Amino acid sequence: KNDKLEICRLQIVIRRGMSKIKICLAFVFFFLFATILYCHDESNLSGEWLLDDRGTVTMNPVVKEEVPWIEVWNRDFWGQDQLTSDKSHKSWRPIVTASYRLNYFWTRGISSEDAYWFHLTDRILHGLVTALTFPVAALTFRQLCILEEDVKGALSFFEHPLTSWPWFWGGSTLVALLYGAHPIHVESVANTTGRAEVLCAIFYFLGFLAYAKLGAGVSLTQHDCGVTSFKSILGVSVLILFTWTSMLCKEHGITLPLMCIIWDAYVGTSTSITELKNVLKRDTLTSREVDNRKHLHPRNHQCRLFLLRSLLCLLGLLSLAFWRLSKNGDSPPEFVCEQNPTACEPNRLIRFLSFSFLWCFNFWLMLYPDWLCPDWSGDSIKLIRNPATDNRLPALFLLWGVLIAFIYHSFYAAIVHPPTLHNSVEELKSGKETKAQVQETYLYHIWMRTIITSFCWMLLPFLMSSNLLVYVGFVVADRTLYLPSFGFCLLLVLCLVYIIITQIWDKDGSTHFMAKNQILFRAKVIVTISSMFILGLYTVKQQAQTKRWSHPVLLWGKAFEINPNSFISGKEYGMSLVNSGRNKDAAQILSIMHNRENPNDAIFRTISGVRDKQKGNTHTPLQDKISKMSRIASILETKFTLATALENVAECEKSITLSEEGLLLAEESLSDIELEVKKAGTVEIQKGMRGASIDDVKNSLIRNKAFLYVARSKCAHNVETMNYFATEAVKTDQMEYTVENLVKVTEIVQNVHKLGLDLDKVLMSRTLNSDGQTSQLNFAASQ
């Protein structure tokens, strides 16, 4: 008997060892799959800095080693302001900033060529995340598989395709493949600023795996590794450490302890409120009850350890949350209404309906990732102001119906204790219920708990971006779905498996064993083909989207096509066209954006300003002036870009008109600010407005005024006028762009003097080149 036991133990060890080898091989495979998917085209790695990369990397003094290392901890994500400053957006990601600085140290530069190493790092990190999704998905699906050592003879009494090994490992494989190729991740992977999401996901998954293994004692190759109080405390301690590091990459990491508690309750320990109440009862079992319920004693211990872990997780979460809030200082983050118009809507019903639709829209992007756009600001997504006639209302009903059903089943599963496999087999042996009835009861509970857990993988990481807890500075952002999309992939695979199996499986259990194997094989084939078809569609879209992120014209051109109402997409598309020499095309786009802008547009108000006015706390005239001047600075930038495009296509008269309008507007705005400063007191001048100081606005107006002087000089009628405006540009703001322009103009002036001509006698004109996109500057001496 002892020899047989040793042989059984040896067989189990060999089986587990083989499983560990397979897990390691799968980890390497998924890492290579996701990395190669983004790296096989080297031109994508050499893409330009786009979107927020200018603020987080190329113009960040912390990244460029202009300040000491300690400032990584003290400054916000953009590196310009201290985290406690009123001007800071309170985005604090020191681990991400430190990784940028290490990249910079390695390359010693942040030019377009140096972007290669930044992008390569981002893709390698995404490969690591994809590899980690495999064990995390397997732990989420662990109840869908019955291990032989769980209950002796269970398989012979309880064979069913919904509780077989193929869905445990095969389902996890499909989840990892879908996650690695999902197009929604392109912004987070191809855009270096998205490294915050990727690093956050790495620590998030590592923390979950550490909790499952150390805290809950759950392994991928066995159901119970033997957990003790010490291991539970150690597991939670490691979890809190990873939560802290994940939170230092992106604020979404704070939800990790909640995710672990939910997984432990529904899947890991798989307990219920009813069971926990019984465990906490003070009455003890009699000696006879002890003999009859021996199998409950280890279970009581597991439940008590679950309560201990849950309490420690909640304490750790609250401690980290209060600590993180204390780092912000006394001022909250400040965003303008243009970034999140719904947050500025005073009507609560409209605000609720509009936010609800944004949740639907985010899910739709994961399900059908065709409308991928880097910016949805302004009027990109209209608010639901008239629900009775809005055709988006059915989507809201569907959303609320799904959420209500999810809440109901979550509470039901949490209250009603699921039947254990031991009890199910005993019920089957007793003959009280048929095999189909036992299977249906058992499958309902394990599948419902798995679906609830998968749903939470999608909802909890999205919680910080949902506007439920805090208002965020965007409408919709692909990057915020990097971690929630893992839950979506779990649900997608579960839906495929469940629908196909339930359609082809004989529920009465009368099918012959060989026929069942054939049905199971057919189900595997159908699920695999369906998943591969979806994976192929996702991969095609992912490759196209990655290519777009390698060049600004491709990216913003597609973005403007998808979302022409975006405030940023049109301007960025026009600027990228100008930089690419497509000035005629740029002029058309920028004209649309210029006609859309209004210096009195109230959308540039701040969210806190709107909330203050609703409470009766109106802003001072200086604060309102700063808000309006900030808007005007943005308009001047558009005027300059459009004037440059018109000048390059030989439409100098239009360019001159725009430049002079802009210069007049800039002069008036600077005068208004000076007048308001004289009226305001010293305290008010220092305070300015949260998120924007008076000096910031003045500098922006001065910089754009200098740009307009340069544009005016390039379309001057003679050399004297050109020299005058080029000199005024340098006097206004002595920066690299204005100085380079003055150097070129000075060379022309010197050449004119060498010819013995007066500057006002040398006329200038432009002629359009044959390509229709560029022009040539001509000089002629007047008589």
Side-chain angles (χ1 to χ4, degrees), residues 167-338:
W167 310 130
F168 181 61
W169 295 113
S172 304
T173 300
L174 294 177
V175 169
L177 291 174
L178 290 170
Y179 186 86
H182 203 296
I184 202 70
H185 300 153
V186 174
E187 180 176 331
S188 299
V189 180
N191 183 226
T192 299
T193 304
R195 187 182 297 182
E197 275 73 23
V198 181
L199 283 174
C200 174
I202 289 177
F203 293 118
Y204 205 98
F205 288 148
L206 287 175
F208 173 79
L209 293 173
Y211 176 86
K213 177 69 174 179
L214 297 176
V218 177
S219 170
L220 291 176
T221 54
Q222 56 183 328
H223 273 209
D224 188 3
C225 298
V227 62
T228 63
S229 299
F230 174 76
K231 287 185 177 180
S232 290
I233 296 174
L234 177 62
V236 173
S237 301
V238 176
L239 166 67
I240 297 302
L241 176 62
F242 277 112
T243 303
W244 181 64
T245 53
S246 181
M247 186 180 64
L248 293 181
C249 298
K250 193 70 182 279
E251 290 75 11
H252 304 72
I254 193 66
T255 61
L256 176 57
L258 283 179
M259 187 64 241
C260 289
I261 293 174
I262 291 173
W263 171 84
D264 203 355
Y266 286 105
V267 178
T269 304
S270 189
T271 185
S272 65
I273 296 176
T274 303
E275 184 181 31
L276 295 175
K277 285 174 62 178
N278 293 332
V279 169
L280 294 176
K281 283 183 178 179
R282 295 184 177 181
D283 54 316
T284 58
L285 297 174
T286 65
S287 59
R288 186 174 180 179
E289 289 174 328
V290 169
D291 293 335
N292 294 334
R293 303 174 65 183
K294 287 182 179 179
H295 64 278
L296 290 182
H297 291 293
R299 184 63 186 171
N300 287 346
H301 181 64
Q302 291 178 1
C303 292
R304 293 181 189 278
L305 290 180
F306 164 74
L307 291 174
L308 173 64
R309 291 193 297 270
S310 300
L311 178 61
L312 294 177
C313 284
L314 290 175
L315 290 176
L317 185 150
L318 293 175
S319 300
L320 289 177
F322 283 118
W323 174 79
R324 176 61 185 88
L325 289 173
S326 67
K327 298 293 292 183
N328 286 347
D330 299 329
S331 59
E334 186 62 276
F335 304 108
V336 295
C337 295
E338 184 178 75

Side-chain angles (χ1 to χ4, degrees), residues 377-390:
S377 60
D379 292 331
S380 300
I381 301 178
K382 302 291 185 181
L383 274 63
I384 301 180
R385 298 190 178 279
N386 191 354
T389 59
D390 200 301

Side-chain angles (χ1 to χ4, degrees), residues 10-71:
L10 181 61
Q11 289 176 343
I12 292 174
V13 170
I14 292 174
R15 189 189 308 124
R16 290 171 183 168
M18 291 176 62
S19 297
K20 289 179 180 179
I21 293 175
K22 291 179 180 178
I23 291 172
C24 292
L25 292 176
F27 187 93
V28 174
F29 169 76
F30 294 125
F31 168 76
L32 294 176
F33 167 76
T35 305
I36 294 173
L37 204 61
Y38 280 91
C39 293
H40 69 91
D41 188 351
E42 191 173 357
S43 63
N44 294 338
L45 295 173
S46 302
E48 301 181 28
W49 302 107
L50 295 171
L51 202 61
D52 292 335
D53 287 349
R54 301 165 191 166
T56 59
V57 181
T58 61
M59 298 176 62
N60 192 330
V62 179
V63 174
K64 296 163 65 176
E65 299 182 348
E66 296 176 1
V67 294
W69 263 100
I70 190 63
E71 292 302 314

